[in-house]
Amino acid sequence: MKNGKIVLFLSVLIIVLAAVAAGYGLFSGGGTGKHMFTSVRGEQVELDGHGVYQYDSVSMAAQARGQDAVTLFVGIPLLAVSAALSLRGSFRGRLLLIGTLGYFLYTYMSYSFLSYNALFLIYVALMSLTLYAFILTMISFDYSRISGHFGPGLPVKVIGAYLLFIAFAVAMLWLGKIAGSLTSGAPPQGLEHYSTLVIQAMDLGILVPGSVLAGVMLIRRKSFGYLLASVVIVKAMTLLTSISAMLAAMIWAGVYVSPVEMILFPAFNIGMICCMVVILKNVRREEESP
C-alpha cells in the first residue's frame, strides 16, 4: 500500500488518542449533577452535570457516551485490524480502513464543532489525524483498477439502490424536524442550548450527498463508485452502530426517543452490515495485492 507506513503511524496515534478520549468520556466523574438551564432562546434544558460532558444536555451526553462506547469497543479494534491488513497488502483491509477512518473523521469532527470541554484539543487532533490518514488512504488506490477487484456477482443495483434509499430516508428524517422550525421561527427539536444542528448539518451536507453519489456511480458500474460505496457503507455501518448505542443510552437516561428513530436506525444498520458482507465476499482473492 502506498504511504502504508505513514497511514499506520497515523492510525496508531488515532487509536491511542481515541482510547483516551472515549475512555475518559465514559468513565470520568465529578460535577454537580443534573440541573436545569435556560437557553438564550428561553427553553428549559436539563444539563447532564456529570463528568466531561457535564455542560452538555442529558440527551447529548447520553449520545456522546453511547458513541464513546462504540468507538472504544468497535471502532478502535476495527481500525487496528484494518490498518494491519492494509499494510500487508489486503484490498479488503484497505476498504475497511478507509471506511473506519471515515467514521473517526465524522465522529471527532462533530465532537470538535459541538462541545467544548477538557478533551477539546484531543478532539481537534483526532479530527486532523483522521483527515490526513483518510486522504493518504484514498490516494493509495489505483482508480482505474478498482472495479477489477470485485467479482461479477456483486449486486451493484441492489446495493446502489439501498444507498439511495438510505440517503432519502435520512434527508426526510432531518428535514422533517427542521422545516417546521424554519416556518414557525421556533427552535427545532434537539437544538436545546446549542447554537446550531451540527449532526444534521453534517448528515445533510456530507453523508446524504455522498450516499447518493455512491449509489448512482455504483449502479452505473463506475470504478470510483465501487470505492465510494465501500467507504460510505463501512462509515455508515459504524456510525449507525453508534447511533443505535446512543438511542439505547438516551432511553436509559430517561430521554424521549422517537419510536421511528428507534426502529429505523437499527434496521438501517442491519442493511448496511449485509451490504458490507456482500461487498467483502465479492472481492477477488487474486486481486488482494495492490
Side-chain angles (χ1 to χ4, degrees):
M1 171 184 168
K2 184 180 179 181
N3 300 315
K5 291 184 179 180
I6 299 175
V7 172
L8 180 63
F9 175 70
L10 294 176
S11 297
V12 171
L13 292 179
I14 292 167
I15 288 170
V16 172
L17 291 179
V20 171
Y24 190 69
L26 278 174
F27 303 115
S28 60
T32 58
K34 295 179 181 179
H35 58 279
M36 300 305 295
F37 173 82
T38 303
S39 74
V40 294
R41 292 179 172 83
E43 287 191 297
Q44 289 293 304
V45 179
E46 187 176 18
L47 299 186
D48 185 73
H50 179 74
V52 73
Y53 302 122
Q54 60 182 299
Y55 298 116
D56 287 296
S57 67
V58 170
S59 170
M60 190 60 68
Q63 293 178 58
R65 292 188 180 103
Q67 181 136 11
D68 286 340
V70 172
T71 296
L72 198 59
F73 300 114
V74 178
I76 289 176
L78 186 58
L79 179 58
V81 171
S82 60
L85 290 174
S86 181
L87 188 65
R88 291 166 54 186
S90 168
F91 184 75
R92 289 188 181 93
R94 262 195 290 174
L95 290 180
L96 288 173
L97 176 61
I98 191 69
T100 306
L101 287 170
Y103 163 77
F104 277 90
L105 177 58
Y106 180 99
T107 297
Y108 289 105
M109 184 182 294
S110 65
Y111 277 37
S112 297
F113 296 155
L114 189 59
S115 296
Y116 179 84
N117 56 45
L119 297 174
F120 177 72
L121 290 180
I122 294 181
Y123 297 156
V124 174
L126 281 164
M127 177 179 66
S128 179
L129 289 168
T130 52
L131 172 62
Y132 292 107
F134 183 86
I135 292 172
L136 289 173
T137 305
M138 283 291 287
I139 64 176
S140 73
F141 289 91
D142 181 353
Y143 295 119
S144 65
R145 297 181 57 205
I146 288 176
S147 59
H149 286 276
F150 297 92
L154 183 66
V156 293
K157 291 184 178 179
V158 174
I159 296 174
Y162 186 67
L163 289 174
L164 293 175
F165 167 73
I166 291 294
F168 175 79
V170 172
M172 290 300 100
L173 178 65
W174 291 148
L175 290 175
K177 286 189 173 185
I178 297 168
S181 69
L182 294 177
T183 56
S184 67
Q189 180 185 350
L191 182 61
E192 299 178 315
H193 63 305
Y194 301 98
S195 60
T196 190
L197 298 172
V198 173
I199 301 301
Q200 286 79 0
M202 292 176 64
D203 284 353
L204 292 172
I206 300 174
L207 185 60
V208 169
S211 297
V212 171
L213 185 61
V216 171
M217 293 186 73
L218 185 62
I219 290 172
R220 298 179 65 184
R221 295 184 180 273
K222 298 293 184 181
S223 190
F224 186 68
Y226 288 86
L227 176 60
L228 187 58
S230 300
V231 172
V232 171
I233 288 170
V234 176
K235 177 184 174 300
M237 182 179 66
T238 49
L239 187 62
L240 287 167
T241 300
S242 292
I243 292 174
S244 300
M246 289 178 194
L247 295 175
M250 289 168 68
I251 293 173
W252 180 263
V255 178
Y256 172 77
V257 175
S258 165
V260 174
E261 294 179 9
M262 197 62 213
I263 295 171
L264 284 184
F265 283 115
F268 290 166
N269 195 23
I270 293 172
M272 284 296 179
I273 292 172
C274 292
C275 287
M276 194 68 246
V277 170
V278 170
I279 285 177
L280 293 178
K281 280 188 174 182
N282 279 275
V283 172
R284 296 179 187 270
R285 290 189 178 183
E286 65 271 19
E287 294 286 341
E288 283 286 295
S289 298

